[in-house]
Amino acid sequence: MTLQEALFAHTDALCEPVCRYGKSAVSIVLEKILYPYLLSNKKRYAGMFWLRADKPDHLHMSGFESVRRDNCRFMSTVVGEALNRLMVVSPSADTDALAYARGELLRLTRGDVPHDQLVITRGYNKAAKDYANAACQPHLTVNALRERREQGSAYAMGERVEFVMALTERNISKKRNAVKITDRVEDPEWARTHNIPLDLDYYVQKQMRKP
């Protein structure tokens, strides 16, 4: 009997006496098993999703960057694939996942990641006046830049604002620890058209190292 088969068999066996002991209108039934299981904190976890003992259904994730919409596509892809490799029941799973992550980090630092995969989005759901710290909101900064450069080009309320982290004239002369996030943000199309280099160190330090 495999570990997965044992988990299903024993879980089913445990549900019946628990329900019998604590009689109520609510019964306990086996829904799914997550194995292997990685718990980062209370609301961040991942595991292979088993609905039956012979094979996993899919990788289930909650709270990680691969399922969050406010991270760039590159980060979502790397986290998702690294977790997929890590969750495979194999003696080399951890080394395979680490090798993959290192390879993608090298691609990023070499500048080999396509520009569009480093675009970050943020929902534009309320006006600047409704924020206590509007000056610190990167999506509001980019929206204001778009409108100043071309009237009528700003995003409308309810849309998702796209931006990249770039080495702009607003931050290039400042000390690294004095640069705010709003100094780094730039409209993706503007950065591409004007050959503004992306701040790859930001992506490494803030997105790859602290996913």
Side-chain angles (χ1 to χ4, degrees):
M1 179 181 288
T2 66
L3 177 58
Q4 294 89 317
E5 289 171 337
L7 287 171
F8 274 89
H10 288 295
T11 306
D12 283 337
L14 286 171
C15 287
E16 192 275 329
V18 170
C19 292
R20 188 173 64 247
Y21 177 78
K23 292 182 178 179
S24 72
V26 179
S27 62
I28 298 174
V29 295
L30 172 63
E31 178 187 353
K32 60 182 177 286
I33 288 175
L34 293 178
Y35 170 78
Y37 181 66
L38 174 66
L39 178 64
S40 177
N41 59 41
K42 184 179 179 181
K43 295 184 178 181
R44 284 179 96 210
Y45 60 88
M48 292 305 294
F49 191 105
W50 298 76
L51 293 175
R52 59 188 194 184
D54 59 333
K55 66 177 182 178
D57 188 65
H58 63 271
L59 175 65
H60 178 75
M61 291 177 282
S62 178
F64 283 97
E65 274 59 21
S66 61
V67 293
R68 287 174 51 185
R69 297 180 65 194
D70 57 350
N71 286 279
C72 67
R73 192 191 316 167
F74 172 73
M75 189 63 202
S76 298
T77 301
V78 171
V79 170
E81 180 58 24
L83 285 172
N84 259 313
R85 294 178 184 227
L86 185 62
M87 291 295 150
V88 173
V89 182
S90 162
S92 63
D94 54 347
T95 54
D96 289 345
L98 184 58
Y100 167 76
R102 283 175 172 167
E104 292 304 287
L105 177 60
L106 184 59
R107 275 211 314 136
L108 176 61
T109 56
R110 285 196 309 236
D112 293 340
V113 178
H115 191 285
D116 62 338
Q117 290 190 22
L118 296 174
V119 173
I120 302 169
T121 68
R122 187 76 58 82
Y124 180 34
N125 301 317
K126 57 182 181 179
K129 63 182 178 61
D130 297 323
Y131 282 92
N133 55 347
C136 300
Q137 301 298 322
H139 61 304
L140 296 184
T141 299
V142 168
N143 218 25
L145 286 171
R146 285 173 61 95
E147 184 64 23
R148 187 162 68 240
R149 291 163 178 165
E150 183 181 350
Q151 189 174 2
S153 66
Y155 289 90
M157 190 73 71
E159 293 184 321
R160 293 192 69 82
V161 178
E162 296 186 344
F163 55 89
V164 291
M165 297 299 172
L167 297 173
T168 69
E169 59 184 17
R170 303 190 309 279
N171 68 43
I172 203 165
S173 61
K174 293 183 179 181
K175 292 183 178 180
R176 194 72 189 172
N177 58 4
V179 177
K180 300 176 182 178
I181 189 171
T182 48
D183 295 325
R184 291 187 170 99
V185 294
E186 186 54 85
D187 175 64
E189 188 57 37
W190 183 271
R192 189 164 29 237
T193 303
H194 293 81
N195 295 316
I196 300 173
L198 299 188
D199 188 351
L200 298 180
D201 187 62
Y202 176 90
Y203 288 96
V204 171
Q205 300 298 331
K206 301 297 184 182
Q207 297 224 328
M208 287 289 284
R209 289 190 65 182
K210 299 179 180 180

